[in-house]
Amino acid sequence: MQTDRPSHHLLAYLSIAALAVCAACGRDLRPRAISYVTVDSAVTLEVVDWGGAGTPIVLLAGLGHTAHVFDEFAPQLTDSYHVLGITRRGFGASSQSEAGYDIPTLVDDIRTVLDSLNLDQVVLAGHSLGGDEMTLFARTHPERLRALVYIEAAYNRVSARDSLAGIPVPESSIGPPTADDLQSAEAYRLFYENVNGVKMPLSEIQAMYHWTADGRLESAITQGWVYNAITGSLRDPDYSNIDVPALAIYAVDYPITELFLDYDSRDSVSQREMRARHEAGLRVDRLSRDYFRTHMSNGQVMEISGAGHSLYITHMEETVGATRDFLSNRLR
């Protein structure tokens, strides 16, 4: 273990959440340990520890989500690995700081958490935005890594944005949540599933929003400007000089209803626009996969046909299996 790294304060707070139900919000708590790590004078980050032993796997959520989005995925790996997750600043129970919403700062936050927890070498596994953090982390702190697992996370985002800029996106016909949708976490979870086609862990729905004393959804925790600051700092990935083993799991050949749940009920003009967007998206995604294959020197690609962006939830068995197979072969 290295001893010359700066020490950082790990808050003296550790809660073991047993299976329980909160009377007000119907909260279903899975067994996990939650701690808070101070990364600078104004920011503490939530760290979720699902347990397990062996090589640490640190999970990084996609934009808009917290570590609790993995509350059902993470336990599938704890028989072989020590699985943890970090909620980035600005989201969930982590600090709502006034600044620091750029990829280099978010990467430094990850390093500080690893230092605080005395984790010398880890596997970083991230969904969506987590991949952008992982790539920069691998370039700046390669000595801290055993492997990388990109879960729908290895994308050339700037190139994709530019390629899709001229293609209109029809507005959804699904309206905003009703009062009934906001009356409880479970009700809003169902609304979220109807809008996005993904059944989030209940604990993640609870972590993303403020709730009233009687369990109704009050407001989102994260302000819109935080999203804008993060997305404004994105760059296309630079995989050069990354030598650690890397797996990229991609959703491929997904149906048009993965992007547009209301496709079948729309008029012919809207459907034509949706098809154009869908076809362009498939082309752009293919370019990112080809780029990863060409430029990630120690990379491997796994494609899950018909899956969507949140495949670690919708296609959990395949995603867990691909991760297990990759790590068992590469961490010998």
Side-chain angles (χ1 to χ4, degrees):
M1 180 181 298
Q2 297 181 12
T3 58
D4 57 347
R5 297 192 219 119
S7 60
H8 297 274
H9 176 55
L10 174 62
L11 291 183
Y13 174 85
L14 182 65
S15 64
I16 306 298
L19 286 174
V21 175
C22 165
C25 60
R27 189 170 189 178
D28 180 10
L29 297 174
R30 295 177 180 275
R32 58 191 182 270
I34 300 174
S35 61
Y36 294 87
V37 174
T38 299
V39 296
D40 66 34
S41 60
V43 178
T44 60
L45 301 184
E46 178 190 44
V47 177
V48 181
D49 188 336
W50 291 276
T55 300
I57 297 178
V58 178
L59 298 173
L60 305 175
L63 183 61
H65 291 287
T66 79
H68 295 281
V69 79
F70 297 112
D71 271 347
E72 295 171 0
F73 176 83
Q76 310 303 315
L77 297 167
T78 54
D79 61 334
S80 301
Y81 305 97
H82 179 195
V83 187
L84 310 96
I86 302 171
T87 298
R88 67 176 58 83
R89 66 171 69 200
F91 297 87
S94 292
S95 295
Q96 306 289 303
S97 59
E98 295 182 358
Y101 300 107
D102 57 273
I103 299 301
T105 300
L106 298 176
V107 165
D108 198 54
D109 286 350
I110 296 169
R111 179 196 58 79
T112 301
V113 171
L114 299 188
D115 289 346
S116 297
L117 301 179
N118 295 315
L119 298 175
D120 284 331
Q121 288 192 316
V122 303
V123 173
L124 284 183
H127 174 243
S128 197
L129 176 72
D132 299 85
E133 295 167 335
M134 289 162 50
T135 298
L136 183 57
F137 191 98
R139 287 180 52 77
T140 53
H141 307 291
E143 75 285 354
R144 305 299 295 273
L145 293 174
R146 296 289 307 279
L148 299 166
V149 179
Y150 293 84
I151 304 172
E152 266 285 290
Y155 281 100
N156 296 41
R157 301 191 191 282
V158 176
S159 297
R161 180 191 64 201
D162 294 345
S163 297
L164 297 173
I167 304 175
V169 181
E171 290 188 11
S172 174
S173 63
I174 302 173
T178 65
D180 286 344
D181 294 327
L182 302 176
Q183 69 179 348
S184 70
E186 187 56 63
Y188 191 76
R189 182 193 196 189
L190 179 59
F191 171 79
Y192 188 102
E193 181 180 6
N194 289 337
V195 171
N196 297 286
V198 179
K199 189 173 185 177
M200 284 287 160
L202 181 60
S203 52
E204 172 63 2
I205 294 295
Q206 291 150 351
M208 294 166 64
Y209 301 96
H210 294 295
W211 301 88
T212 63
D214 60 352
R216 290 180 293 110
L217 194 155
E218 185 173 44
S219 63
I221 288 176
T222 306
Q223 301 283 326
W225 69 266
V226 172
Y227 290 87
N228 293 336
I230 293 175
T231 57
S233 77
L234 294 178
R235 302 291 182 269
D236 279 345
D238 182 357
Y239 300 131
S240 62
N241 300 319
I242 297 178
D243 296 322
V244 297
L247 170 67
I249 305 173
Y250 289 101
V252 300
D253 300 328
Y254 48 84
I256 193 168
T257 49
E258 169 63 29
L259 289 183
F260 303 103
L261 271 67
D262 57 346
Y263 174 81
D264 291 333
S265 65
R266 301 303 294 274
D267 59 46
S268 59
V269 174
S270 295
Q271 287 184 339
R272 184 166 59 249
E273 293 178 342
M274 290 174 174
R275 287 194 299 272
R277 186 77 180 192
H278 176 238
E279 291 165 3
L282 292 174
R283 289 196 303 271
V284 169
D285 290 354
R286 191 178 306 115
L287 292 175
S288 287
R289 296 196 298 275
D290 291 343
Y291 186 86
F292 183 90
R293 286 188 176 100
T294 302
H295 293 90
M296 183 65 86
S297 63
N298 201 5
Q300 175 180 329
V301 168
M302 166 68 177
E303 298 178 344
I304 300 181
S305 182
H309 189 52
S310 297
L311 49 70
Y312 65 102
I313 294 175
T314 62
H315 292 67
M316 185 183 300
E317 183 177 352
E318 296 97 318
T319 306
V320 169
T323 301
R324 282 185 175 279
D325 290 346
F326 169 73
L327 293 179
S328 64
N329 290 327
R330 295 303 189 100
L331 297 184
R332 293 174 178 173

